[in-house]
């Protein structure tokens, strides 16, 4: 991968992308398709792309389509199920699939053969209340054609055929239920990201620079941005001037947003949450499980900690993971500094941070309990999903960092957010992406929203509108409202991406 010849003392660009993860890769590819003559400079602090949140070991890897994630369908006070977020996420993932299929079909990128695979997405619960919730959830979701084909079962024999490890050794008197969606996927976002950057590095006007820390962002009198960076090895400083800056640095985005000084960034804070997995080391056990099985999160736990027994494909090898187990650290990045959290505290965000902390004491207690867990306690948690699990078949692996967004609430206090949020300057010359799940899976939709906010005139131009329709055939239309359009684009993307496009019991 071409990484440029090293930065000159001062260089010029139209666009600077900070962070070489899935978000910057997606935005870079979209911008070069929309306007090929753009000069783009990518700045990454590590020595390779996708080494933090986008890496396969640091990312859940689920093509988040809301098929199995129960936290996307909360139960309302009146007992009904709110499906709005699930529908939105499902549609967003279909949009991502279209863009990936376009890039492959147009021979713009050479995607590794198995960057995306079909794997059933399942939800599994036990206990009368949870079973009733899952049954209502299934009924509510299947009213929308995005979830057509989702199966529901309380039959133990049926569940044994779907998820033998989960049912083996389980008390048959215990009430259990599961849903299954065969159209689910496993995505290696690290492989996808590196592939897109490989293509970007070959394009005219694009420079990738690794090993550079962004030290300062300052808006000049002409409204352009001056980005001061330092090479991590040589310690030499450089400047890059650009019309537009995107901060897509994962957990590192918040400190950089605060450095920019834009008024829109004031009051934002971040709460770092680390993660760990139990990885199965017994190939015989790995082969017995073929699904992503999600359960319900513990009371007070963050959505990223929803437990799941997860079939993964990483570096060409089939893996079986359980977790994640949450933890607390003051680092904002896996390769970050323990000073990240204290240095992010500012006068304008201290009150929201403290307020959010007081309001979320159950989360704090949950993290303390997670940190204190012994190896035996971790295996005991695994046995809720795999009753016959043996501790010697599993080892602990460190996963990635997530920084949950804290922002000012309507009454001046702090609100802890669990999604993703774009923070952009009023003039559209700088934008940052904060937050975590379901980020990677919905990257294309997120970047379309960013383009709408930061490039409004160009987005309304005939040239960009036409190109967007080529890249994303459903652009400007609702897949949630148009069943025939969904059928067409899902059939096309499934063929190009090599995915299953039928549901069980369907001819």
């Amino acid at each position: 991968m071409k990484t440029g010849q090293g930065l000159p003392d001062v260089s010029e660009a139209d666009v600077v992308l900070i962070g070489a993860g899935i978000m910057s890769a997606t935005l870079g590819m979209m911008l070069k398709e929309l306007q090929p003559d753009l000069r783009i400079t990518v700045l990454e602090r590590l020595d390779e792309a996708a080494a933090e949140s986008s890496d396969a070991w640091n990312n859940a890897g689920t093509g988040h389509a809301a098929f199995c994630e129960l936290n996307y369908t909360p139960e309302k006070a009146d007992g009904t199920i709110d499906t709005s977020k699930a529908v939105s996420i499902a549609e967003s993932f279909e949009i991502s699939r279209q863009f990936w299929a376009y890039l492959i079909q147009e021979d713009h990128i050479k995607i590794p053969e198995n960057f995306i695979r079909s794997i059933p997405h399942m939800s599994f619960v036990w206990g009368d209340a949870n079973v009733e919730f899952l049954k209502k959830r299934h009924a509510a979701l299947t009213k929308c054609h995005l979830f057509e084909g989702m199966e529901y079962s309380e039959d133990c024999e049926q569940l044994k055929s779907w998820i033998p490890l989960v049912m083996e050794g389980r008390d048959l008197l215990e009430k259990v239920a599961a849903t299954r969606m065969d159209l689910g996927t496993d995505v290696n976002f690290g492989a996808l990201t590196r592939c897109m950057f490989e293509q970007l590095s070959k394009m005219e006007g694009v420079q990738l620079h690794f090993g550079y820390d962004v030290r300062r962002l300052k808006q000049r009198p002409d409204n352009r941005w001056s980005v001061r960076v330092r090479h991590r090895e040589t310690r030499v400083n450089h400047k890059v001037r650009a019309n537009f800056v995107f901060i897509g640095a994962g957990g590192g985005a918040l400190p950089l947003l605060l450095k920019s000084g834009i008024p829109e960034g004031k009051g934002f804070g971040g709460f770092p949450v680390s993660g760990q997995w139990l990885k199965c080391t017994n190939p015989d056990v790995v082969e017995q499980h073929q699904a992503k099985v999600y359960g319900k999160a513990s009371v007070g736990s963050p959505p990223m900690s929803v437990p799941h027994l997860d079939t993964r494909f990483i570096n060409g090898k089939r893996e079986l993971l359980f977790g994640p187990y949450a933890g607390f650290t003051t680092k904002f990045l896996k390769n970050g500094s323990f000073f990240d959290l204290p240095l992010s505290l500012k006068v304008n965000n201290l009150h929201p941070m403290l307020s959010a902390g007081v309001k979320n004491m159950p989360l704090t207690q949950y993290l303390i309990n997670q940190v204190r867990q012994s190896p035996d306690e971790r295996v005991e948690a695994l046995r809720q999903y795999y009753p016959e699990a043996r501790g010697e078949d599993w080892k602990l692996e460190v996963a990635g960092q997530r920084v949950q967004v804290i922002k000012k609430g309507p009454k001046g206090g702090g609100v802890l957010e669990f999604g993703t949020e774009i923070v952009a300057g009023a003039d559209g010359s700088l934008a940052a992406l904060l937050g975590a799940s379901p980020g990677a899976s919905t990257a294309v939709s997120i970047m379309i929203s960013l383009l709408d906010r930061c490039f409004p005139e160009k987005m309304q131009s005939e040239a960009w509108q036409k190109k967007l329709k080529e890249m994303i055939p459903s652009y400007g239309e609702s897949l949630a409202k148009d069943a025939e359009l969904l059928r067409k684009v899902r059939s096309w993307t499934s063929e190009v991406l090599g995915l299953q496009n039928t549901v069980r019991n369907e001819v």
Side-chain angles (χ1 to χ4, degrees), residues 464-482:
W464 278 38
Q465 286 287 307
K466 180 180 178 182
K467 193 62 181 181
L468 283 162
K469 195 70 176 176
E470 288 179 25
M471 297 190 297
I472 304 161
S474 71
Y475 177 74
E477 302 175 74
S478 172
L479 292 173
K481 296 179 180 178
D482 192 331

Side-chain angles (χ1 to χ4, degrees), residues 40 49 56 130 138 155 205 229 240 276 312 402 465 486 506:
I40 298 177
N130 289 335
H138 173 261
D155 180 73
V229 300
V240 184
Q276 296 175 315
R312 297 288 306 277
R402 297 292 184 270
Q465 286 287 307
L486 173 66
E506 183 173 296

Side-chain angles (χ1 to χ4, degrees), residues 164-366:
L165 288 187
V166 175
M167 296 302 294
E168 183 181 349
R170 191 170 293 277
D171 183 357
L172 297 182
L173 297 179
E174 181 180 45
K175 193 168 185 179
V176 296
T179 56
R180 177 179 173 117
M181 191 71 168
D182 281 355
L183 298 183
T185 55
D186 175 74
V187 185
N188 186 327
F189 285 104
L192 173 62
T193 300
R194 286 186 283 272
C195 189
M196 286 197 280
F197 275 121
E198 179 68 31
Q199 176 62 17
L200 280 168
S201 71
K202 299 174 183 176
M203 292 182 172
E204 186 69 30
V206 178
Q207 292 288 323
L208 276 64
H209 297 280
F210 295 100
Y212 285 90
D213 271 325
V214 175
R215 310 291 292 180
R216 186 181 180 189
L217 296 110
K218 183 178 181 180
Q219 192 164 28
R220 293 154 46 90
D222 61 2
N223 290 330
R224 302 185 78 223
W225 285 89
S226 177
V227 183
R228 192 177 76 185
V229 300
R230 177 181 295 173
H231 194 272
R232 290 168 63 84
E233 288 187 6
T234 66
R235 314 300 291 173
V236 175
N237 292 325
H238 307 266
K239 285 185 180 179
V240 184
R241 294 171 181 162
N243 300 322
F244 173 75
V245 175
F246 171 63
I247 305 173
L254 175 62
L256 295 176
L257 172 64
L258 298 178
K259 286 181 180 180
S260 75
I262 63 171
E264 293 77 9
K266 291 181 178 179
F268 277 92
F271 186 83
V273 179
S274 62
Q276 296 175 315
W277 299 98
L278 281 180
K279 172 186 173 182
C280 186
T281 57
N282 186 332
D284 293 334
V285 174
V286 175
E287 288 301 314
Q288 292 178 59
H289 188 74
Q290 300 182 48
K292 292 179 177 293
V293 179
Y294 276 58
K296 290 196 77 173
S298 303
V299 175
S301 64
M304 67 162 286
S305 296
V306 171
H308 41 106
L309 188 62
D310 196 346
T311 295
R312 297 288 306 277
F313 297 92
I314 301 175
N315 299 326
K317 183 183 177 183
R318 184 166 165 167
E319 304 280 3
L320 179 59
L321 307 177
F322 177 77
Y325 298 91
F328 176 74
T329 173
T330 55
K331 289 184 177 182
F332 280 176
L333 293 165
K334 191 173 181 178
N335 294 285
S337 164
F338 288 109
F339 293 104
D340 287 343
L341 178 59
L343 289 176
S344 74
L345 298 176
K346 308 293 181 184
V347 173
N348 58 59
N349 69 10
L350 186 58
H351 178 60
M353 291 276 285
L354 294 174
S355 173
V358 171
K359 293 177 183 177
N360 291 275
M361 288 305 294
L363 171 59
T364 303
Q365 186 60 50
Y366 168 81

